[in-house]
Amino acid sequence: MVRYRLWVDSEAHASAAAAAIAREQTVEVPHGVGGAELQARLLGRVGDVADAGEGRFDVSISYPLEVVGTQLPQLVNVAYGNVSLMNGVRVVDVELPAAALEALPGPRLGIEGLRALVGAGQGRPLVSVAIKPVGRTAAELAELAVTFVRAGVDVIKDDHGLVDQSAAPFAERVQRVGAAVHEENARLGRRCAYFPNVTGPVDGLARRLEVARAADCPGVVLCPGLLGLDVMRSVASGSGPVAIMAHPSHAQTAPGRREGIAPDVLLGVLYRVAGADAVVYVNALGRFSWPVQVCERINERLRAPLGALRPSFPVPAGGVRAEDAGRWLERYGADTMLLIGGSLLGQDDLLGATRRVVEAAHAVDPAWRGVAEGEAER
Amino acid sequence: MVRYRLWVDSEAHASAAAAAIAREQTVEVPHGVGGAELQARLLGRVGDVADAGEGRFDVSISYPLEVVGTQLPQLVNVAYGNVSLMNGVRVVDVELPAAALEALPGPRLGIEGLRALVGAGQGRPLVSVAIKPVGRTAAELAELAVTFVRAGVDVIKDDHGLVDQSAAPFAERVQRVGAAVHEENARLGRRCAYFPNVTGPVDGLARRLEVARAADCPGVVLCPGLLGLDVMRSVASGSGPVAIMAHPSHAQTAPGRREGIAPDVLLGVLYRVAGADAVVYVNALGRFSWPVQVCERINERLRAPLGALRPSFPVPAGGVRAEDAGRWLERYGADTMLLIGGSLLGQDDLLGATRRVVEAAHAVDPAWRGVAEGEAER
């Protein structure tokens, strides 16, 4: 079942548009072609049409399993394929068939598995940081990483803009940063994880995953918007490093648009079923202007029961100020991984500032699961 | 160089937004982090800011080759990565670095190569048709294909919604339709090509390409929006069937939006550099409401000189009526591949109706290259 929000001027037009979408996304031929029995069997079925006010109508369409199947590219094709070329049609909810939820990998580790990976017992939130900017050498990035291990962060990730540039080529960076993190972990008895960014040409992905695995990296950063959602699914189904942190670069979603897949559906449902253990999104009050209600709706989606799939860590990011870490964690609860990048890197006392963020995370009551205030904006 | 259209309320705000984008898409850290020299070297450079009227401003940003490199995922990441999560920022032009144009495959056949493939001499337009709907058996689809060969069409493509459903599983469909087309070609001395749809799970893609190659299919249909643009690039760089027809399902682009990559840039430039020999788009006056000026702009982009890359066939589709075939080909010119699906399949006399479309294509003066009327809408 897919729920669409339509921008049309009457309920009659909404019903007509819904019928056109149900045809476009399935048989895609005029009435009668292929025979009445075939069309009755395979056309999408329009359900409720609800007036959402301000010239918006919500319609739900159920698609036959025979058309959709259980594979991710076709699920997306049916939910938002050709209609992604129409204006005024937005996906605001998706309920996947049980067969698809069984066939898709979902997170390999999920929230509890990631906590165990970094040795964070007692259900506390995690702290992750980004090493950057592009242009720093592998040695400089490794030095940064060592400071972050000392400060007690849980996950150090490559900035998603670090790929294979000359200052810090992929293999050299992964080896140097990976080795530096392992050494400092061993020295201090820590289990900080380093997740290199494996986004890049798809035909080199297996090799990059192997480099990460060989450097004992327990997870990777990957941008499904750039590589394809099903590429993430194939990594989650494969034999590389176990954890995936999905980054939303080129995800092409934001609150308030008339088109696209709503952020909570894309990042909160599709990224999770495709295997992300942690999903980065742009937090409220940072460099992007996503309302906090949308952020909380993503949090909810990533943590909610969904077939037998594990929950994924929501990762608010995108300009979170270090001094606000405690405030955000109090709001979002213990099942959160906070990601702070630029705000820390700009501090004179990097070690001290990072330690304060870590302390804020350790201070959160593990029983506190955050609160969703009011109805989420989509 | 990327040109963005920004929806802001003043030129000062446009300049500030452009500076923020130039930072977001490159170093992604506050002023000074990494050192002044690094930032001076690697920050995007804001060029002209032009008032485009109605609260819109166009800004161009040049990104250093050291950051961008020549690989497609990073090109898209820098052009429209994190900013794809902001409202009111649209990509309206992209000029790729010469090094990227050299490194990317572009079409293997292009317009002249595809004409040669199907034996269409003298520079005439091509006619393609879709076999569908989902639910028809492989035998029924093969029977349809035979009628299309008899009518003289150049390319028979799978509907993009035909994947691996039970009525016509992928391998059985490709073998039966492929064999039927070859037999009828041999009987009539024709060179009609069958392009099966290989869109599906990425870890089965190599196998599906092999099935297509084994069935002597000279090309395939592929949806970069579903699989990832770089997956298409890897297919174009590989050893499978030679021709790629790119289908825009889930391309998430349309005229008139404030976000996204404008259709002519995505379908006319990025799909071409990523290796599409033919690019399907939704034509004006069909089931979608794209202005004809946008269609002509896509045509122009696909045919225009671009480094040493071959031109690609524009493929207007999406509800083109069979009786309008001649009219569209007169307008768009000989370097066009018309795609007609549902409109033909709904006709009582399928053979006769298809023959009339083919005759319309053969009647187009090969010297006629179409005309672009006025400034293209983006």
Side-chain angles (χ1 to χ4, degrees), chain A residues 113-303:
Chain A
L114 265 183
R115 274 210 188 94
L117 185 82
V118 298
Q122 300 173 318
R124 66 166 173 83
L126 301 191
V127 171
S128 61
V129 295
I131 50 173
K132 56 184 177 182
V134 58
R136 276 190 161 141
T137 64
E140 288 167 341
L141 295 168
E143 192 184 321
L144 259 186
V146 167
T147 302
F148 286 134
V149 177
R150 283 183 195 158
V153 308
D154 300 296
V155 175
I156 297 169
K157 69 174 274 287
D158 277 349
D159 183 51
H160 75 286
L162 295 180
V163 289
D164 198 28
Q165 292 97 346
S166 56
F170 177 80
E172 183 195 345
R173 179 174 84 243
V174 173
Q175 286 150 9
R176 288 190 85 138
V177 177
V181 168
H182 285 304
E183 279 168 34
E184 198 64 14
N185 273 338
R187 207 172 66 79
L188 300 174
R190 295 242 159 94
R191 292 169 64 184
C192 176
Y194 165 51
F195 289 7
N197 176 32
V198 295
T199 306
V202 289
D203 31 19
L205 181 57
R207 187 188 54 74
R208 292 192 299 279
L209 289 168
E210 177 52 30
V211 169
R213 202 205 52 70
D216 282 328
C217 299
V220 296
V221 174
L222 185 153
C223 303
L226 293 168
L227 286 182
L229 193 61
D230 198 59
V231 170
M232 179 160 76
R233 193 271 315 153
S234 76
V235 172
S237 308
S239 60
V242 292
I244 296 176
M245 177 186 273
H247 185 285
S249 177
H250 198 59
Q252 305 200 71
T253 185
R257 298 184 186 174
R258 296 185 174 197
E259 292 88 24
I261 301 177
D264 62 302
V265 177
L266 180 62
L267 305 177
V269 179
L270 297 181
Y271 276 27
R272 177 178 170 194
V273 300
D277 298 286
V279 177
V280 178
Y281 65 82
V282 293
N283 196 28
L285 303 182
R287 297 192 304 279
F288 301 78
S289 50
W290 289 23
V292 70
Q293 291 81 2
V294 173
C295 302
E296 291 185 320
R297 183 83 180 127
I298 296 170
N299 297 351
E300 270 178 51
R301 294 269 205 180
L302 288 169
R303 299 165 181 157

Side-chain angles (χ1 to χ4, degrees), chain B residues 143-166:
Chain B
E143 192 184 321
L144 258 186
V146 167
T147 301
F148 286 135
V149 178
R150 284 183 194 156
V153 309
D154 300 297
V155 175
I156 297 169
K157 69 174 273 287
D158 277 348
D159 183 52
H160 75 285
L162 295 180
V163 288
D164 198 27
Q165 292 97 347
S166 56

Side-chain angles (χ1 to χ4, degrees), chain A residues 24 28 66 77 80-81 84-87 132 159 165 201-203 230 233 249-250 252 255 257 287 290, chain B residues 24 28 77 80-81 84-87 132 159 165 201-203 230 233 249-250 252 255 257 287 290:
Chain A
E24 184 70 38
E28 207 197 330
E66 182 180 346
N77 182 40
Y80 196 56
S84 80
L85 310 170
M86 292 177 176
N87 284 332
K132 56 184 177 182
D159 183 51
Q165 292 97 346
V202 289
D203 31 19
D230 198 59
R233 193 271 315 153
S249 177
H250 198 59
Q252 305 200 71
R257 298 184 186 174
R287 297 192 304 279
W290 289 23
Chain B
E24 183 70 38
E28 207 196 331
N77 182 40
Y80 196 58
S84 81
L85 310 171
M86 292 177 178
N87 284 331
K132 57 183 175 182
D159 183 52
Q165 292 97 347
V202 290
D203 31 20
D230 198 59
R233 192 273 314 153
S249 177
H250 198 60
Q252 305 201 72
R257 299 183 187 174
R287 297 191 305 279
W290 288 23

